[in-house]
Amino acid sequence: MNIRLTEAEHAKAVAYAQGSGMTPANWIRRIVFTGKFPSVKLSPVEADLYRELKRIGVNLNQITHRINLGEFPKEYSAQQVELKEALDYILKALTSDGEPDQG
């Protein structure tokens, strides 16, 4: 069986398949017959980044929950600053092209 894809669809299928470590045909086959997207394989750097983002999200969720209960201890201000610095660092790492800043 053959299917026709537009160039954009083909490019998307190839990108998703590569991210999952599969051929485009196997990637499409997996979706069609299981109804689920194959898991994306992450590089060690991406996996570390994901874990860090998850940790930050958990911290923010805990802080938000306590604030919604009417609690706002003084140490939350310091944690908020730390989280902002961590998020800034991560965003810079995600958007960096590996080249030094141009001033």
Side-chain angles (χ1 to χ4, degrees):
M1 174 181 290
N2 293 318
I3 63 170
R4 295 182 190 271
L5 300 173
T6 65
E7 287 184 28
E9 291 168 337
H10 181 265
K12 190 181 283 190
V14 168
Y16 285 137
Q18 287 174 343
S20 299
M22 304 173 82
T23 65
N26 285 335
W27 183 81
I28 291 169
R29 190 177 296 113
R30 175 82 55 92
I31 293 171
V32 168
F33 291 112
T34 67
K36 298 178 184 175
F37 279 85
S39 61
V40 175
K41 308 291 184 214
L42 298 176
S43 72
V45 172
E46 289 171 329
D48 288 344
L49 186 59
Y50 173 79
R51 280 190 290 278
E52 183 68 16
L53 285 171
K54 186 174 180 178
R55 185 185 70 77
I56 290 169
V58 168
N59 286 345
L60 286 173
N61 189 44
Q62 290 172 349
I63 290 169
T64 302
H65 178 71
R66 297 205 47 200
I67 289 171
N68 287 336
L69 292 175
E71 303 172 17
F72 193 79
K74 291 180 183 179
E75 67 268 10
Y76 279 12
S77 294
Q79 289 175 337
Q80 184 179 18
V81 171
E82 288 177 28
L83 288 170
K84 170 126 177 47
E85 289 171 356
L87 285 171
D88 289 343
Y89 174 81
I90 290 169
L91 288 172
K92 185 175 180 180
L94 286 173
T95 58
S96 171
D97 59 6
E99 298 293 322
D101 289 339
Q102 298 294 320

